[in-house]
Every structure is written in structure tokens, then in C-alpha cells.
Amino acid sequence: MKKKWNILVADDEAEVRTSLKESLEEIIACTVHTASDGIEAFDRVRSVPLDCCFVDLRMPRLDGLQLTEKIREYDNTVPVVIITGYASLDVAIDTMRRGASDFLIKPFSLKDVMVSFKKVTRERALLIENVFLKQEVEKKKDIERLNVELGHKIREVTQFKDVMQQFLSVRSNEELYRRILDMSAKITASGMVSLRVLDKEKDELEMFAAIPSKEEWAKKIPIDLDRWIADKVTKEGVILSTKEISVPSEIANLFAGDKEPPFLVSIPLKIKDKVVGVLNCAEKKDRGSYSDNDLRLLDFLSRKASLTIENLGLYESLSQHFFSTLYALVETIEARDPYTCEHSRRVTDLSIEIARAMRCSDNEVEILGFAGYLHDIGKIGIRDNILLKRSHLTDEEYDIIKLHPVIGSAIIGHVGSMHTGQAIIRHHHERWDGKGYPDGLKGESIPLLSRIMSVADAFDAMTSDRPYRNGSPGQEAIARIKQNAGKQFDRNVVDAFELVLKEMPGEAG
């Protein structure tokens, strides 16, 4: 006989209460109790043995957070899902700190409700069944807090991807500067273009690059003229040209006879009214003057470029913060299990050496370094009583452990530029013969970098101590890996692995 759930819906909006009550009672075996404010809701908590509470954040007499605390004090096994229309990082973190198990953001779908309901009731069952209830609750809260913070950081980084659609493929200031030069030359038909960029340490505009080259630019545009107009544009913060302003006599005297200074247009790149670069265009190919349309295009380009420079800086800062968070999570995982301490670093180092031996590109090696360190991050979602078990796992427990590549891939997949790293992490437990997990990929359908990491991961696992066994000697582990070449592992990767270890005698010992 199926369990009949007792659910509380507390919301001061009658329409929300009625809609949730009717929907839940229609699709699951349950009785839904309702309340229009916090005081009434807490009366229901004390009078009915509840399995789950959906509580609006803002209610009269007793708000959602105050009600959550009272429920936790009364029975800390009853999960509370906060409902709010005011989503923010502070609200999300505060709800979790105050004892909520999950939260829903209005408007939400019935599917969202059911996902949350299943999640929190499953967690409640585990808590009730756990012998070490108090210890596990504390660990669960820590993991939930980390997951909430990580989720918000991921969303922040994802938002920056959307902001930078205009320069979607630009990944560095240097690449952006090159594109600014090329686009400026193209849209204005200029034979010569240069870009000066602010050197923050010197607080000066330094020549970054020029078309066709810095040397050719210097031959036709005297350095004094170049620096003078750059300084003037920096001070005034507007587009200037040598046709509209008087060039100082000491600079004009540099041009012999009737020769006039070149027609030079200078455009500032600004971030929050501070000039961070100056773009110069000269030698219009049709020998005409720069038109108003040229100037409008250059102004538009400079604004877009300036915004992208600012976003790239902020994106880089957030990315560093984001990856610092991910690396901290890896350290948290390894701190939970002393037997895997430094495992991620060792797997990364060995994977990189194998990749280099296989002549992978610098970009592939860089991605492997990132993915290697994070390949087990999905274990943050595995319960300690399974992850840290001191004896062999049951089949059911092993099935849960096998979810960690999927969880890790999902975490990394929120960063739009990390699709390759996501695939490496998801498939590093696939086997050459197709008997691996999670997707049962076979042969070359498994990404090469995943095949490389699979060998490095297996070698480190074999040679490392575990609670239930001692690590194998290096030569024994090598022999086992060679024995499984063509079955579990790619033969070519195993050959490269063996070559690498011959050059790293400490590893092979």
C-alpha cells in the first residue's frame, strides 16, 4: 500500500493555496493542509504529522523564515520549501542558513514543485533512517550551502556569456584588440591603424599593435604626433582628427616643405569615463576624408569594444572566483576522504604528461589540466556513508557512486566555454570495450582526453591506499593496465602511458 503524504501549503494568496492543493492531490496520494499565515501554519504543524511544507516567504503575522525556524525547533526532520517571488543570492543563502531544505521561485511549474517535493522527502527519509542523524544533518547542511553558493556563481558566469554576444568568440583582451584593429581598418577602408592601450602599472598608453605593423606605422606617423594626439584624446575623451584641431608648431615642423601632417582620426576607448585605449586610423584607401558615417561606425565600435573590455575584466574576475570555488570544493571532497588526498593533482599531472607524449595540442593540454583537477567534483553529491565506506560497496551503493561523472559534468556544463571539459569529466569512466559508465561509449566514440584521463585515474587508484586495501606497487599496476589495453583502455594511450612512466622512474616504482 502506497504511503499517503501529509503536505502543508502556507501562502497568503488563496489562488496559490488552492492551485497547489488541487494539483498535488490529483497527482500523488496525499492530503494537503493549507494555511493563510505563519501562525495558522504552525498550528497545522503541531496538530498533523507532516511530511513536507511549502511556505511562502512573505506572510502576515509570521513570515516564511520565522516559520521555518519554528518548524525546525519543533521537528527538525520536516523539510520546508520556501516559495518566493523575490529571488536573489542573499535570499537563497539566508533561506538555507535558516533551515529551509529548498526554495521555489514564482512563477513556478507543477514539475518544479514535484522535483522539489521528491528531493526533500527523499532527503528526509535518509535522515530519519540514518543512525548518526545529528552528524549527517550537519554535513548535509554544509553540502547544501556549498551547492547553493556554487549554483549562484555558475549562474553569474553564465549571465556574462549572454552579455558578451557581440564579441562571442573573443576570449582575451589581446584577441579583442586584434579584432578592433582588423574591424577598424575594414569598416573605414584605412590603410593604417594603430591601437594604444593603457599600461596600468605605468599609467601610460603604450602601443599595442598596428596595421600593417608598428614599424610601418612609426615610419609614417612620427612618435611625437602619435603621442600628442593620444594624450589630447585621453584628456578630452572624444573623437579627434588632425583636420579639426591645430597641430602644435613643433610637431608641424617635422613635416618638410609643403607636406602636411597626415590625416589622422583618433578614437577613445573608455570604461566608466576613463580612457583605457586610443584607436588611430590613417591613410584612407580612397584618399578621401573620413565621413560622418565612418566616424559613427568608429564611435559605435569603440563603445562596443569598451564594454567588452570591461566585461572581459569582470568575467575574468568572476571566472577566477568561480574556479576558486570549484577547486575549493575539490579540496573539500579530498579533505573528507584522507585516502584520496592529492589524487586530483596526481591524475592531472600524469594525464598532462601522457597528452604531451601523444602530441596533443597546447589547448588540449590546458583543457586536460582544468578537467583533471575537477574530474571527481561530482563526488560532492555522494553521501559520506557511501563515499567514505571502509568496506566494499554493495551493488546499489556502487550504482550511486557511478553517478559522480554525471553530477560533475552537470556542474561544469553551466559554463558555456567549458563544453570540452564537461565531456572529459562525464566520460572518464567509459571503457574501450563499451562496458563503462555512464553512457557505455565504445572505442573512439569516447573523447581522447577522457581516454587519457581514464588511464591516469586508474593508475593512481591502483597505487593509492584505500580503507579496505593497500595500494599496489607501481610495476604491478602498470602490468594490470597493459593487460587491459584494448579492453578497458585505449592501446595507444597505454603505450604513451608506459613511455611516460619510463621517463618518470619515481612513478613506476
Side-chain angles (χ1 to χ4, degrees), residues 53-59 63-69 79-85 91-92 94-96 98-106 108 116 120:
C53 301
F54 290 92
V55 174
D56 187 34
L57 181 63
R58 298 192 174 187
M59 292 188 296
D63 67 30
L65 291 180
Q66 293 170 327
L67 175 59
T68 298
E69 290 179 335
V80 179
V81 179
I82 291 291
I83 300 173
T84 178
V91 169
D94 197 27
T95 58
M96 294 304 182
R98 303 274 284 273
S101 300
D102 203 358
F103 64 94
L104 293 171
I105 300 172
K106 296 179 182 178
F108 50 79
S116 182
V120 299

Side-chain angles (χ1 to χ4, degrees), residues 2 15 18 39 49 117 142 148 152 198 202 211 213-214 219 230 242 339 364 406 446 454 457 504:
K2 287 187 176 180
E15 183 178 348
T18 302
I39 298 296
F117 173 74
D142 287 340
V148 168
H152 282 279
L198 180 66
K202 297 180 181 178
I211 294 176
S213 67
K214 290 183 182 180
K219 286 179 183 178
T242 53
Y339 290 94
E364 288 174 316
V406 178
I446 305 168
S454 174
D457 190 32
M504 301 169 65

Side-chain angles (χ1 to χ4, degrees), residues 64-237:
L65 291 180
Q66 293 170 327
L67 175 59
T68 298
E69 290 179 335
K70 290 182 73 67
I71 292 174
R72 282 299 188 194
E73 290 173 4
Y74 181 76
D75 184 351
N76 65 5
T77 69
V78 177
V80 179
V81 179
I82 291 291
I83 300 173
T84 178
Y86 304 91
S88 73
L89 178 60
D90 290 339
V91 169
I93 292 175
D94 197 27
T95 58
M96 294 304 182
R97 284 178 177 165
R98 303 274 284 273
S101 300
D102 203 358
F103 64 94
L104 293 171
I105 300 172
K106 296 179 182 178
F108 50 79
S109 66
L110 183 57
K111 180 180 177 181
D112 295 330
V113 175
M114 289 308 300
V115 167
S116 182
F117 173 74
K118 289 177 181 178
K119 171 180 175 290
V120 299
T121 52
R122 182 171 61 248
E123 290 172 353
R124 184 191 185 218
L126 291 172
L127 287 175
I128 293 173
E129 291 172 5
N130 199 312
V131 177
F132 305 103
L133 179 61
K134 185 175 181 180
Q135 180 181 3
E136 289 302 311
V137 168
E138 291 303 316
K139 289 181 180 179
K140 175 177 171 291
K141 286 182 179 179
D142 287 340
I143 292 173
E144 285 180 345
R145 178 178 55 79
L146 287 171
N147 282 336
V148 168
E149 292 174 356
L150 177 60
H152 282 279
K153 293 301 179 185
I154 289 171
R155 283 191 284 274
E156 287 177 5
V157 175
T158 303
Q159 288 170 349
F160 277 94
K161 172 195 166 187
D162 296 332
V163 170
M164 295 190 296
Q165 285 182 353
Q166 180 66 29
F167 293 93
L168 191 60
S169 61
V170 175
R171 296 186 180 180
S172 67
N173 282 336
E174 288 73 16
E175 184 181 353
L176 172 64
Y177 298 153
R178 294 286 177 187
R179 183 161 299 184
I180 292 171
L181 285 169
D182 292 339
M183 292 175 67
S184 300
K186 182 177 180 180
I187 64 177
T188 61
S190 295
M192 298 183 67
V193 181
S194 73
L195 179 64
R196 285 184 172 273
V197 178
L198 180 66
D199 184 321
K200 293 183 180 179
E201 292 184 0
K202 297 180 181 178
D203 197 28
E204 294 179 359
L205 291 169
E206 297 286 342
M207 177 70 77
F208 170 77
I211 294 176
S213 67
K214 290 183 182 180
E215 293 74 21
E216 288 298 318
W217 179 270
K219 286 179 183 178
K220 296 190 176 182
I221 311 294
I223 188 66
D224 290 343
L225 174 60
D226 194 343
R227 286 177 175 167
W228 172 78
I229 196 164
D231 288 342
K232 192 168 184 64
V233 168
T234 300
K235 290 176 183 177
E236 299 188 17

Side-chain angles (χ1 to χ4, degrees), residues 228-443:
W228 172 78
I229 196 164
D231 288 342
K232 192 168 184 64
V233 168
T234 300
K235 290 176 183 177
E236 299 188 17
V238 296
I239 297 177
L240 297 175
S241 76
T242 53
K243 291 290 185 182
E244 298 171 342
I245 56 177
S246 299
V247 177
S249 57
E250 61 271 20
I251 294 176
N253 291 338
L254 297 173
F255 300 91
D258 296 332
K259 187 177 180 181
E260 295 183 355
F263 186 5
L264 189 66
V265 174
S266 292
I267 307 96
L269 304 180
K270 296 190 292 185
I271 296 178
K272 296 178 180 177
D273 295 326
K274 178 178 177 61
V275 175
V276 296
V278 173
L279 175 67
N280 293 317
C281 295
E283 288 199 357
K284 192 168 173 65
K285 292 180 179 179
D286 58 10
R287 298 185 180 276
S289 300
Y290 288 97
S291 65
D292 290 341
N293 187 57
D294 289 332
L295 299 181
R296 281 195 298 272
L297 285 171
L298 288 172
D299 181 59
F300 176 78
L301 174 64
S302 72
R303 291 176 186 274
K304 288 294 182 182
S306 298
L307 179 60
T308 304
I309 292 170
E310 183 177 13
N311 284 339
L312 279 172
L314 192 52
Y315 181 81
E316 181 179 352
S317 175
L318 283 174
S319 293
Q320 289 175 352
H321 192 109
F322 169 69
F323 289 121
S324 295
T325 302
L326 293 183
Y327 295 149
L329 286 177
V330 171
E331 292 175 1
T332 299
I333 294 169
E334 294 189 344
R336 289 159 69 191
D337 182 3
Y339 290 94
T340 62
C341 184
E342 295 293 305
H343 167 72
S344 297
R345 180 191 59 76
R346 293 192 299 269
V347 170
T348 301
D349 293 345
L350 183 53
S351 296
I352 287 173
E353 292 304 318
I354 296 172
R356 285 174 175 157
M358 297 185 72
R359 303 187 179 220
C360 291
S361 68
D362 290 344
N363 184 56
E364 288 174 316
V365 171
E366 182 180 351
I367 292 171
L368 195 55
F370 153 78
Y373 198 77
L374 300 175
H375 75 281
D376 276 342
I377 194 171
K379 288 182 178 178
I380 196 73
I382 306 299
R383 301 195 310 272
D384 279 0
N385 63 326
I386 295 177
L387 188 65
L388 307 181
K389 188 174 180 180
R390 302 185 68 84
S391 58
H392 287 284
L393 299 173
T394 65
D395 290 343
E396 181 180 320
E397 289 168 338
Y398 186 53
D399 286 339
I400 293 174
I401 282 286
K402 289 184 340 187
L403 294 174
H404 81 269
V406 178
I407 297 171
S409 171
I411 291 172
I412 303 306
H414 284 283
V415 185
S417 60
M418 294 300 168
H419 294 308
T420 303
Q422 178 187 15
I424 297 169
I425 291 170
R426 182 179 181 91
H427 300 301
H428 75 278
H429 280 295
E430 303 286 0
R431 290 173 52 108
W432 185 259
D433 57 13
K435 297 178 181 179
Y437 60 87
D439 299 316
L441 299 186
K442 183 177 182 180

Side-chain angles (χ1 to χ4, degrees), residues 437-453:
Y437 60 87
D439 299 316
L441 299 186
K442 183 177 182 180
E444 293 188 357
S445 63
I446 305 168
L448 172 61
L449 301 185
S450 294
R451 285 178 261 153
I452 290 173
M453 189 184 297

